[in-house]
Amino acid sequence: MASLPASVGSSSASHRILSAATVPSKVNLRCEGESLKVLPRSSIIKEAEWLGVPFNCKEGICGHCRVSVLNKNSVTPFTEQEKAYFGKAISSKKRLACQLKLTGDTEIERISLST
């Protein structure tokens, strides 16, 4: 049986082990009364489509998949595509679902293209 590296007993190694253990295996994506489980930090395109979010390019260019994120602390930071799309109108609530990845339970609302 292989022995563990000496660094495993160090505080930094044990901190990494604890951090990895606290990452949820699935998080909840909610949209207008429906809820799905998704993998954290992965694309939500399929799930968001199922929940009724419209998509077109799926690359952060067209803006068809704009959503409002109700709990902004449970999502990854803005991508370069989102920064380019929103420009100076960037807000902490409006995101592109094709670029969005969840870090925790999150609720989104669809935004119509006319707004």
Side-chain angles (χ1 to χ4, degrees):
M1 196 162 143
S3 62
L4 296 173
S7 63
V8 169
S10 73
S11 62
S12 63
S14 60
H15 175 71
R16 278 180 276 171
I17 292 169
L18 289 174
S19 296
T22 60
V23 174
S25 60
K26 297 266 182 153
V27 295
N28 292 309
L29 171 63
R30 288 182 301 280
C31 182
E32 301 178 16
E34 298 288 333
S35 182
L36 294 173
K37 296 268 188 197
V38 299
L39 293 171
R41 298 192 179 274
S42 64
S43 172
I44 63 164
I45 291 174
K46 288 181 188 175
E47 293 84 0
E49 278 183 314
W50 191 88
L51 292 169
V53 175
F55 285 87
N56 192 12
C57 74
K58 299 181 182 176
E59 296 179 11
I61 298 169
C62 71
H64 273 74
C65 63
R66 285 183 297 156
V67 294
S68 179
V69 176
L70 302 183
N71 42 341
K72 62 184 180 180
N73 294 329
S74 297
V75 296
T76 54
F78 284 94
T79 64
E80 293 303 314
Q81 291 89 337
E82 287 177 299
K83 291 175 186 175
Y85 176 81
F86 289 113
K88 291 182 180 179
I90 202 163
S91 81
S92 60
K93 285 185 77 174
K94 291 184 180 178
R95 299 292 301 265
L96 298 176
C98 68
Q99 301 296 303
L100 191 62
K101 294 181 180 172
L102 311 184
T103 58
D105 293 347
T106 304
E107 185 169 357
I108 60 174
E109 293 178 341
R110 294 185 293 257
I111 298 175
S112 86
L113 289 174
S114 61
T115 59

